[in-house]
Amino acid sequence: MRNHPGTMSHITGLFARRAFNLEAIVCVPVGDGAESCMLLLVAHGPKLEQVEKQLLKLYDVLTVRHRPDLGSEFFSRFSRAALAGSPAPST
């Protein structure tokens, strides 16, 4: 995603308006900071495909893809590493 003010709010708001619970969010700058990578943990639901299509319509969203390899355990490890001040877990 493009790293502009309000981008994270637009993305998370899209999920909130459709009653999707975001179980976890990780957002980190990429490269020179002009872009960020945002990882969201959401339960698969019947409206998820529609939300993905609407995400792609947002100007600041560059790509959307599923990462089934990054489940709740990844987010738990990431959180523990961040709180301990150690490097984030590799994917």
Side-chain angles (χ1 to χ4, degrees):
M1 63 183 226
R2 290 183 180 91
N3 202 0
H4 293 150
T7 300
M8 187 177 214
S9 177
H10 287 135
I11 292 170
T12 57
L14 189 67
F15 282 88
R17 286 189 301 276
R18 280 142 188 89
F20 267 90
N21 185 40
L22 294 172
E23 298 173 24
I25 302 171
V26 173
C27 187
V28 294
V30 178
D32 65 359
E35 295 178 1
S36 290
C37 177
M38 179 186 267
L39 303 172
L40 305 172
L41 180 62
V42 297
H44 188 76
K47 297 185 278 182
L48 185 56
E49 187 176 326
Q50 182 62 33
V51 172
E52 290 172 348
K53 289 177 184 176
Q54 291 175 338
L55 278 172
L56 285 169
K57 293 179 182 179
L58 296 177
Y59 170 76
D60 288 318
V61 174
L62 302 172
T63 186
V64 174
R65 64 183 173 131
H66 285 275
R67 290 290 309 264
D69 57 315
L70 300 181
S72 60
E73 180 57 31
F74 169 83
F75 286 89
S76 294
R77 284 190 328 233
F78 191 94
S79 175
R80 286 191 302 270
L83 291 173
S86 53
S90 61
T91 55

